[in-house]
Amino acid sequence: MSPRLHARDLAVAYGPREVLHGVDLDIPDKQLTAIIGPNACGKSTLLRALARLLPASRGEVWVDDRQAGSYTAKEFARVIGMLPQTVSAPDGMSVADLVSRGRYPHQSLLRQWSADDQAAVSQAMAAVDIAALADRPVNELSGGQRQRAWLAMVLAQQTPIVLLDEPTTYLDLAHQIEVLNLTRRLREDGHTVVVVLHELNLAFRYADHLVVMSEGRVVASGTPHEVVDSALIEDVYDVPCLVIPDPVTGTPMVIPKGTS
């Protein structure tokens, strides 16, 4: 059986320039997948294409054995939640109002705001430690607080598949760990989670599955132990390095050799 989310021969172009080149990709169900690679290699483009935020110039994204384009917007938003890299909220919108937007796919003329919706919003804010900020305007928050507010909105959506584009951006180390622990809890609760990350050693610690990208193509995929070695990292990042076992987890750990 195919995984719930997969792509076949997926290409994306910006005008005449193709930036994603015929990607075949299987996202393992109920696992935490980290997409890694250097800047401008296509990580965010791939994630946005999986979320239908960018149209494919060739190939298809499939969700539950249906072409992604066959879903209505609300149907799709009940299956896949996405936190883009760059987001903004209207001036004056409170954190609670922002997070409540995550419940939009579950609303209809016959189903208005309910106790279940309020519980989902409260649980999402508590999960990322922003409940105390519920009444604060989003545009008055620090970068890290804003990032957690947007993450809470995605969590409130309560989708089985969650896509996060660099969710640790703007966060200090403690909150990076907190967010990655949250992604692990989502996976443990049965969600399929896909995260674009720059922090390689954190990706190797937390991911069940890695997708390594370079120049718009997937060059390796599998568990961290299966795919990570110094040859791959040096080839993809052009940085001489050692790969050793992480002394805490035993997962691969990259040590740059430096320029001397």
Side-chain angles (χ1 to χ4, degrees):
M1 293 179 61
S2 298
R4 297 190 69 173
L5 177 60
H6 60 280
R8 294 292 178 265
D9 192 33
L10 181 64
V12 173
Y14 296 123
R17 183 172 66 93
E18 187 174 90
V19 295
L20 208 61
H21 312 297
V23 169
D24 291 324
L25 181 68
D26 290 327
I27 299 297
D29 295 334
K30 300 181 181 180
Q31 292 192 28
L32 173 55
T33 294
I35 303 176
I36 65 170
N39 290 341
C41 72
K43 301 185 299 296
S44 294
T45 297
L46 174 58
L47 206 69
R48 288 168 62 82
L50 293 176
R52 294 200 326 183
L53 299 179
L54 287 175
S57 55
R58 185 177 73 253
E60 295 287 350
V61 173
W62 295 81
V63 181
D64 290 337
D65 294 321
R66 286 176 57 182
Q67 293 182 0
S70 71
Y71 286 80
T72 67
K74 276 194 172 182
E75 284 177 335
F76 196 77
R78 289 194 291 267
V79 181
I80 290 184
M82 166 76 176
L83 176 63
Q85 192 177 115
T86 303
V87 286
S88 60
D91 286 346
M93 174 176 281
S94 72
V95 169
D97 286 342
L98 174 67
V99 178
S100 70
R101 298 291 180 95
R103 301 304 297 167
Y104 169 76
H106 303 276
Q107 307 298 306
S108 69
L109 290 175
L110 299 178
R111 188 192 181 286
Q112 299 299 307
W113 191 262
S114 69
D116 287 343
D117 294 315
Q118 187 58 52
V121 169
S122 297
Q123 290 165 8
M125 288 193 294
V128 297
D129 192 27
I130 58 165
L133 304 177
D135 296 327
R136 290 271 303 276
V138 176
N139 58 2
E140 293 182 5
L141 302 180
S142 69
Q145 290 170 332
R146 281 197 302 272
Q147 187 77 344
R148 285 185 283 146
W150 282 101
L151 180 57
M153 188 194 74
V154 175
L155 297 182
Q157 206 170 323
Q158 293 186 323
T159 55
I161 301 173
V162 179
L163 311 180
L164 305 173
D165 193 356
E166 299 188 32
T168 56
T169 300
Y170 305 119
L171 300 182
D172 59 32
L173 181 59
H175 282 111
Q176 287 182 29
I177 298 298
E178 184 178 295
V179 167
L180 290 172
N181 284 338
L182 175 60
T183 65
R184 180 175 283 169
R185 291 198 299 273
L186 287 171
R187 184 260 287 160
E188 291 170 351
D189 289 340
H191 295 263
T192 298
V193 184
V194 187
V195 187
V196 170
L197 289 174
H198 275 295
E199 301 86 354
L200 294 184
N201 293 327
L202 289 178
F204 302 157
R205 274 194 179 196
Y206 282 86
D208 304 300
H209 184 79
L210 283 179
V211 173
V212 186
M213 296 193 67
S214 179
E215 297 181 345
R217 293 180 170 85
V218 173
V219 296
S221 63
T223 69
H225 285 293
E226 289 171 340
V227 303
V228 177
D229 58 28
S230 58
L232 175 73
I233 300 301
E234 290 181 14
D235 183 55
V236 170
Y237 289 91
D238 194 27
V239 175
C241 67
L242 297 174
V243 174
I244 64 173
D246 186 306
V248 175
T249 62
T251 51
M253 182 174 180
V254 174
I255 308 295
K257 291 182 180 178
T259 56
S260 59

